[in-house]
Amino acid sequence: MPSPTHGTFIWCELMTTDMDKAAAFYTAVTGWTTKTMPMPGMEGEDYGIFDTRAGDADCGVAGYMILPPEMEGQIPPNWTGYVGVDDVEETVRQVVAEGGSIRKEPFDVPCVGRMAVVADPHGAVLCIMTPVSMDNPPPMAAPGSPGTFGWNELYANDGREAFAFYEKLFGWTLDQAMPMGDMGDYLIFAHHGRQIGGMMTRPQSVPVACWSYYITVPSIGAAIERIRAGGGTVVFGPQEVPGGSQIVQATDPQGAYFALVGGA
């Protein structure tokens, strides 16, 4: 049987063309702080960490790194989610068996874990990882608190087909299906009973299947002002969602798409 952590979103990572500008933008918009560290095996390259404050501790919630030169022109700056799995090789086998593909074969990240980059049958990309065991794991911010990722959303070629794939892969369950008229149903999925995201058939305005990740902020209105002041662009919203929160979708100054959820 899978462990309770199998299928949990554990990290998000930004690939950008300018780490300093990305750090300045997101700290202003979300309230994060940043630090950098050398990347093992990559001399002269740093890896950035976005931290949020929880009590008297800084908690890492996301990473950021320079877009590798060999990828420039092939993929734009982007955010990618990491899902924790019990066994990377076994999950890779399941991805292929269910019609997905492998974008990067399993490899080790020293002192971090073993990971791979995969895509679902529609082409939406995720990283999967088995983290190293830690005797004293770092502090974690409470789900839903400011600065954490509060929602994970998939635009699929077919929402129902995509859900069936991820249900087998990660054990996610359908919490509820919300009718959206001509756009079909919005499928809210859960992990061990807790809602963690939604899936839908992508509208024509979304050119390819992809995941998006919502950062929690105290005020959407204030965040929109900071997005624009920092050189970002609002592409959708603000819009109220069930429960009374609002969302906004935007691109940062380097072109990476991201989303926010928070109070009105």
Side-chain angles (χ1 to χ4, degrees), residues 77-173:
N78 69 90
W79 282 94
T80 301
Y82 282 63
V83 177
V85 298
D86 292 338
D87 186 314
V88 168
E89 270 75 12
E90 175 60 20
T91 305
V92 161
R93 186 196 66 77
Q94 292 175 345
V95 167
V96 174
E98 296 298 332
S101 59
I102 310 307
R103 299 299 174 87
K104 189 168 185 178
E105 294 289 343
F107 63 99
D108 291 319
V109 181
C111 302
V112 177
R114 187 161 179 78
M115 64 172 289
V117 185
V118 302
D120 68 22
H122 300 164
V125 173
L126 278 174
C127 294
I128 55 172
M129 173 177 278
T130 303
V132 296
S133 298
M134 294 185 181
D135 294 329
N136 296 298
M140 299 287 290
S145 57
T148 61
F149 284 83
W151 200 248
N152 309 284
E153 191 168 73
L154 175 65
Y155 292 99
N157 292 352
D158 183 291
R160 293 281 178 176
E161 285 184 5
F163 175 76
F165 171 83
Y166 288 103
E167 181 182 31
K168 293 178 181 178
L169 196 66
F170 298 136
W172 294 342
T173 56

Side-chain angles (χ1 to χ4, degrees), residues 24 26 35 44 47 53 65 92 98 117 142 148 165 174 192 202 215 224 238:
Y26 286 102
K35 58 179 178 277
Y47 188 80
R53 196 71 176 170
M65 60 182 290
V92 161
E98 296 298 332
V117 185
T148 61
F165 171 83
L174 181 61
H192 292 289
R202 62 182 176 88
I215 306 159
I224 288 174

